[in-house]
Amino acid sequence: MPDFTDNLKPLYDGAAILEHERSRSLVNIDELSRHLLSRNGFLERQARVLAIIEREQLFSKKQQLNLSRPERYHLGLARAKALRRLTRKHGWDFEDYRMAEYLTDEMSPYFLHMSMFATTVREQASDDQKRYWMPKIEAWEMIGAYAQTELGHGSNVRGLETTATYDVVKKEFVIHSPTLTASKWWNGSMGRTATHAIVVAQLMLPKKGHISQFESYGPHPFIVRIRQEGTHLPPDGIVVGDIGAKYGYTSMDNGYMLFNNYRVSHSAMLARYSKVDQDTGTFSRTGNPAVVYGSLTNVRANIIMHARLILARAVTIAVRYTSVRRQFRDRDSKSTTEPETAVLDYPTVQIRLLPLLATAFALHYTGDSMYNLYNQTRSGIEKGDFTELAELHSTSSGLKALCTTYAADGIETCRRAMGGHGFGGGSGLININNDYLSKPTVEGDNWMITQQMSSHLIKKMTAAVKRPNAEPVDATDELFKRYLQQQKARKPADAVHWMSIDDNAIVDAFQWRAADLTYRAYQDRVERKKPWNSLLIQLHKLSKAFSESIVVTNFHASLRSNNIPSETSTVIRDLYRLYALHTMDTDARSFATTTAATDSTLDALSDAILKLMTSIRPHAVKLVDSWMMPDYLLDSALGRYDGKVYEALYDMAHRQNPLNRTVFNWDWRSEEIVLGSGDGGKLESKL
Amino acid sequence: MPDFTDNLKPLYDGAAILEHERSRSLVNIDELSRHLLSRNGFLERQARVLAIIEREQLFSKKQQLNLSRPERYHLGLARAKALRRLTRKHGWDFEDYRMAEYLTDEMSPYFLHMSMFATTVREQASDDQKRYWMPKIEAWEMIGAYAQTELGHGSNVRGLETTATYDVVKKEFVIHSPTLTASKWWNGSMGRTATHAIVVAQLMLPKKGHISQFESYGPHPFIVRIRQEGTHLPPDGIVVGDIGAKYGYTSMDNGYMLFNNYRVSHSAMLARYSKVDQDTGTFSRTGNPAVVYGSLTNVRANIIMHARLILARAVTIAVRYTSVRRQFRDRDSKSTTEPETAVLDYPTVQIRLLPLLATAFALHYTGDSMYNLYNQTRSGIEKGDFTELAELHSTSSGLKALCTTYAADGIETCRRAMGGHGFGGGSGLININNDYLSKPTVEGDNWMITQQMSSHLIKKMTAAVKRPNAEPVDATDELFKRYLQQQKARKPADAVHWMSIDDNAIVDAFQWRAADLTYRAYQDRVERKKPWNSLLIQLHKLSKAFSESIVVTNFHASLRSNNIPSETSTVIRDLYRLYALHTMDTDARSFATTTAATDSTLDALSDAILKLMTSIRPHAVKLVDSWMMPDYLLDSALGRYDGKVYEALYDMAHRQNPLNRTVFNWDWRSEEIVLGSGDGGKLESKL
């Protein structure tokens, strides 16, 4: 309905403001976006898939925030089916399909099928099993889930309570949940969708010479049909359902599942690396399951690359909005007529957003280097060489914790930097925030897995101390060797001089701090034999410091190897420095106590950071543009490419909010809630 | 329907675990809870109102997370009405009513009526206006909102664009929104509920000697009927509605509103402090509107006390759950049969939860002291003495920023410390998190308002430097005088010795750091005349450091004055030290550079903190019990008083999740989504 607000304009013209921002920077967006997003044809794929998705009404995000959780699953399932059909129609490959999931930006109820479910069968099934299952999986004639985590055990996989006991007589495994905490829990796609699941259970085999006494051979994967054909109801002996509302993943049916002495055939156990003799129930192992860890670390490299896109997305929204948004005139200004200051011009806003922008770039180069490390290690593994696997596993653990913490915290930092409107649905951050908050605790809790890196580093340092003349096999060895040689004679260079920054000295400071913290941990654990648990906080800090050192080192190395034109590469170099110096400033005292940096370096950080932010500020909008986030993905009034922030916010409120279609009865003296038209979200029996 | 899971028990008995935790501490819960929660009869009131609320089906929280946003408003309005009726039925006073709102834990669509709306009329209306409006307001014959913030201006109130132009001929004000950004925005209770609103608009009066040229007299409040009697629809010339989904406040109808030359009578302008002559349109001022700032700071004292309850709530949940939760056996242990370690026994979990527990206590004593300062200043103001108002305003600004940041960040820290289950609806943190995230940016953005404290401190320091012999009028003056006298001869005492901690030296370190940072800011701004905006980050840090110093000082002072028995007070003293030392450790380098603490003090912090946590750990469950959070308020499976964590999680999933009542069609080859019974959250035309 037309009204007097139809032609009102905002006080400041957001479109003109962003146009001006873009015109005053020489950053080459095309070149930079190709530099950042070329791997696997990302940019071309994004454009192609986006064009298809955007046309489909089912994929409109406009009403998502007004739907209930059951409605979100319903919609999620409808979309999952539609994506599968689009995949066939357009001949999408798997990467195209994943791109569509990325753009729709919600966890598909089908998600686990082609990820953990298919991967596990591919990697852990015997050749016979693969021949049977893979065609069905690839034709999507079934939907699979991956049931490992239980109500009582997540991180501690060895503590899983579900058992699979082999019955030699009937040649069947009996799957059983002895307690309530043995319930499978959290497993994606399992709550309402999946027909099958990989069930990870303690393999129980008869003790030698006994038939009714069993001993555990540890957790093993079994493939189980969990819902019957036709009815889609679980068989007797299985209880399965959706666990209910969560912070995020509204569209995903994370499930629970319990077994009551449920019998599956001998062939249910995936038998590539472990076999149970069908007749005798004897256990045997073939091959090296360490290969499986390899694919875990690939998942982690993906997590880093994903984290950089999450950060880039939040920063894109925040940088655009704070460029458009104006508030207060300069306190020192005499003029009363000049326009108010752009919020992004306040150093208190810059210090929250620009280091995060720099971090998105930093994560890019480290993700890149992790892919390379992964491919190298993988090809080694295929030749039977497992030497680098421990290093890869260590690095991926520390970096997973660091990068997902950056991204999870960064979303909220961006939101707060946007002030009041950051709290609104127009921010576009609600969904991404709710979903991403899972990352710091899943796939290795961020505080737990830092032990894996620290433990590995202590081993390496122990070796370096014992054999100071051994030939280094990797960069960590080299660092530790150098550290031990120079330990007594350390003289840190000034990294920050007046108006100039020594990039090499910055890298040296980060590496030295990492090595020195490792040495201290080595002393406490190996020399002083302190209890492991008493060192956990220290080990967490070590892993963080070492991971930061890796990120700084990779970022620095990329400055030499990239071939982007000089205007743009100057800005990227400033981003490198901002990431490094801001990180240094955040934990300055650890640089001082490890003699990694001089006090004068540390004292100079605040000023150097302010200057770097001033240099980067004019390029901020173009730098976020280079991440090529489509408006459809952002789903944000505040972060729109065209800067029409207020028009979009008003449209959401005035034209699209279903609540405004109902007139409510405000009066407490009446029991009636709805006065006029519309159902106003009637509750009926829902409570 | 009964099934084989009905009688399953969890591996670890949560009830027995919490019982054991409670039996091994001598903390006296009754005494401690009275100590913390006696103000205004809080405990008695909580018990009395809870008993009534819990009986009403309408206030059950069980399905809240499964409702859509429109449903949540619908429910919120139904509850608001019911609360109003319960208030009459049980003869509740206003504090009882507020307690009911606190326990139901959602923003009522009526919220603004008795808060900002009624308060503004009471404080800013003339006596005649009050006589007319207050009886209607108090009988709830109308529902009022407070329309100040606009789409384009929040913090900068002077920048508001809505105008109220006086028409001398018709003796009416013409309220108008000249732009889209002039739209009122965010105003609570206004979207669907309110009949009236206080509209804050730029008062435009004819220039002297002109009738059609106007000049602005700044923002003034007008009382306006915004919806018509009977239809509850806005009159011509007003567009008003709900702004749509937000992070939190789902049940609240935050609104937008625009005016098209909408006319209101001369009596609409609240006229206690500012008058417009009805015939001539001449402006006059009476009395001192500074009184209004007084009530703003009372709001801020409430914010601190509220922040402590929010923190205490999140910590209650996390401490109970991490006591029950077990994961991994001790890495150094040889035994393979001992039970797994309680998660709260890991220092990496303690370092996240126990300092927050200490912070809840710290905020309590500072909230307490703010109430006293407020009452003192208020009684001064009533005698016409405004001297302490600036100090109160400064303190309340710095503390608002510090305390709401603590609480907002603290909720998320608690959630992550709970690992995977923290992400689930059973955490009980989703609602509190979504709602509380508004606090860092509303009622003074936390980065913006720190300028108010810093600016005040610089003024005070300037005065102290100019007149070193002047008599101090408050604690800040005293501190600055002492600082300037000792500045050259500073020799910090060791605050942390081997096995002992000097409580006075801790206070001294915090105060010295605060004073020294003030002095540096004074030098930069007053002596070196640096631009204000270039100092903003520094000023933010100053405000934070000064506020921390206030919190430490108040906590320390309370140790001497409280009269709680010795076992309990020993633990509270440990909490004081933990809060102080952990805060010091978090920003250690600023203590070093300001010579507030010695390097040996700072080096000893990690060990001291570990020891303090070990001392506090056995009392953790009883310490959170003392905050007396009812299970109804917590609404948390993980944080239940009885420790039956897993039973409650399973009940939520298996028996209460509406999604499990529908069987879905998983197969992408079928367009049908629902296969079996239930509507499964049908979408129909909602997209």
Side-chain angles (χ1 to χ4, degrees), chain A residues 27-93:
Chain A
V27 165
N28 185 323
I29 291 181
D30 279 352
E31 220 138 16
L32 186 51
S33 63
R34 275 199 303 277
H35 170 71
L36 293 168
L37 301 166
S38 284
R39 184 181 283 272
N40 287 329
F42 184 94
L43 276 178
E44 173 279 323
R45 178 173 283 118
Q46 173 169 285
R48 180 165 43 81
V49 173
L50 178 66
I52 293 164
I53 294 287
E54 270 191 314
R55 276 202 305 267
E56 307 276 330
Q57 170 65 17
L58 188 63
F59 292 97
S60 161
K61 298 176 182 174
K62 290 194 173 173
Q63 286 303 323
Q64 276 183 195
L65 292 175
N66 291 313
L67 301 181
S68 71
R69 205 249 141 178
E71 286 165 349
R72 284 298 300 273
Y73 171 74
H74 185 114
L75 176 61
L77 182 57
R79 285 176 174 171
K81 292 182 175 202
L83 275 192
R84 173 66 195 141
R85 282 187 225 115
L86 288 173
T87 301
R88 276 168 58 107
K89 182 173 166 192
H90 298 284
W92 284 348
D93 64 16

Side-chain angles (χ1 to χ4, degrees), chain B residues 262-550:
Chain B
Y262 186 74
R263 288 180 169 264
V264 295
S265 71
H266 173 266
S267 64
M269 184 174 134
L270 298 188
R272 176 160 174 195
Y273 297 109
S274 302
K275 271 201 183 74
V276 170
D277 184 273
Q278 190 163 4
D279 299 317
T280 62
T282 326
F283 182 79
S284 62
R285 212 182 269 285
T286 50
N288 190 338
V291 176
V292 177
Y293 285 95
S295 74
L296 191 79
T297 48
N298 188 31
V299 168
R300 292 213 176 132
N302 287 333
I303 288 178
I304 300 171
M305 283 309 215
H306 180 243
R308 95 195 195 287
L309 289 180
I310 294 289
L311 254 189
R313 192 188 326 175
V315 173
T316 296
I317 293 169
V319 161
R320 286 182 185 157
Y321 172 64
T322 56
S323 301
V324 170
R325 180 76 172 178
R326 268 132 177 76
Q327 202 79 182
F328 290 110
R329 295 198 174 79
D330 187 341
R331 186 165 166 151
D332 290 334
S333 161
K334 304 281 178 291
S335 156
T336 56
T337 54
E338 71 181 47
E340 294 171 278
T341 307
V343 169
L344 187 54
D345 287 336
Y346 291 107
T348 33
V349 173
Q350 291 177 2
I351 194 71
R352 290 181 277 170
L353 298 183
L354 299 185
L356 286 178
L357 174 59
T359 304
F361 281 82
L363 298 197
H364 172 74
Y365 299 110
T366 282
D368 223 38
S369 115
M370 279 292 289
Y371 275 134
N372 297 338
L373 188 59
Y374 169 72
N375 288 329
Q376 222 173 289
T377 312
R378 183 92 203 168
S379 67
I381 287 173
E382 269 154 32
K383 290 175 209 135
D385 172 10
F386 291 88
T387 40
E388 276 304 274
L389 194 60
E391 178 78 8
L392 179 66
H393 185 59
S394 156
T395 308
S396 75
S397 301
L399 287 172
K400 185 269 172 183
L402 182 70
C403 298
T404 57
T405 303
Y406 276 153
D409 293 349
I411 296 167
E412 175 62 7
T413 301
C414 287
R415 187 190 73 76
R416 290 190 202 173
M418 296 195 288
H421 288 312
F423 191 68
S427 67
L429 292 181
I430 294 180
N431 217 55
I432 179 181
N433 181 67
N434 288 346
D435 283 0
Y436 202 82
L437 283 184
S438 63
K439 296 290 181 211
T441 52
V442 299
E443 282 161 279
D445 179 89
N446 281 1
W447 281 72
M448 185 82 76
I449 55 168
T450 52
Q451 292 177 64
Q452 295 172 10
M453 176 178 254
S454 303
S455 158
H456 176 73
L457 293 174
I458 291 174
K459 269 186 216 145
K460 285 247 185 197
M461 183 59 85
T462 309
V465 171
K466 272 193 190 148
R467 289 176 289 118
N469 298 318
E471 200 53 40
V473 305
D474 56 29
T476 308
D477 285 347
E478 270 168 42
L479 170 61
F480 289 175
K481 189 172 182 176
R482 184 157 51 85
Y483 168 81
L484 291 170
Q485 283 165 354
Q486 302 173 359
Q487 202 181 8
K488 300 282 183 290
R490 170 73 176 172
K491 279 209 190 77
D494 261 354
V496 184
H497 313 271
W498 175 244
M499 294 301 282
S500 85
I501 294 165
D502 183 337
D503 289 339
N504 290 312
I506 292 174
V507 175
D508 170 72
F510 274 88
Q511 292 185 347
W512 186 270
R513 162 172 164 262
D516 192 69
L517 292 175
T518 307
Y519 188 75
R520 287 162 192 246
Y522 151 79
Q523 285 184 304
D524 281 335
R525 179 62 179 169
V526 180
E527 292 184 357
R528 296 183 198 120
K529 303 198 188 310
K530 289 197 183 173
W532 184 258
N533 282 351
S534 76
L535 299 174
L536 286 178
I537 296 172
Q538 184 182 345
L539 297 176
H540 182 71
K541 288 179 184 166
L542 165 59
S543 171
K544 182 161 184 282
F546 207 93
S547 302
E548 287 168 352
S549 162
I550 292 173

